[in-house]
Amino acid sequence: MLMRTDPFRELDRLTQQAFGTLARPSAMPMDAWRDGDVFHVEFDLPGVSQDSIDIDVERNVVTVKAERPDRASDAELLAAERPRGVFSRQLVLGDNLDTERIEAAYDAGVLTLKIPVAEQAKPRKIEISSRNEGQQAITA
């Protein structure tokens, strides 16, 4: 039986495993949505200890960094599809979000961020005043 090999196919597979693709990042898949006055972001971090998660905010950039440690045993590795080591993801937020009041929770391998919409970005009513206040209309 003849087999054709493509040396670049294996390289593509390894690259996708290490770095992921645009449609499916390998280290930290994320969902984001807005519900009313709160912007929600969820990161999948299965097998990551809460103590190894670090969240930093600088101006309007949120950086989430996490670590999944290497295996300590010398056992023969048969498959290694889950990324290990330190990985991070950055979110560039608009000025309409209040980065001073971000809430974070970690449950069942999911990191959840709740970012409220800034007060100055919320819709509001503008009262209209009349230039003729205090003046009487002339009737003929």
Side-chain angles (χ1 to χ4, degrees), residues 70-104:
D70 291 329
R71 297 220 181 269
S73 80
D74 293 333
E76 179 184 355
L77 190 61
L78 301 175
E81 296 180 352
R82 297 172 55 198
R84 298 208 171 261
V86 176
F87 40 91
S88 67
R89 186 133 187 206
Q90 288 188 321
L91 299 174
V92 179
L93 304 176
D95 293 333
N96 61 335
L97 297 176
D98 188 353
T99 58
E100 297 293 322
R101 297 186 352 203
I102 295 176
E103 296 176 16

Side-chain angles (χ1 to χ4, degrees), residues 2 15 21 23 26 49-50 69 80 85 89 97 107 114 120 124 130 132:
L2 260 175
T15 303
T21 63
S26 67
S49 166
Q50 181 175 340
R89 186 133 187 206
L97 297 176
D107 185 40
K114 292 182 181 179
Q120 67 268 20
R124 60 190 187 280
S130 172
N132 297 332

Side-chain angles (χ1 to χ4, degrees), residues 32-47:
W33 69 95
R34 182 175 173 172
D35 185 14
D37 289 339
V38 179
F39 185 72
H40 299 264
V41 184
E42 289 182 343
F43 297 95
D44 283 349
L45 297 169

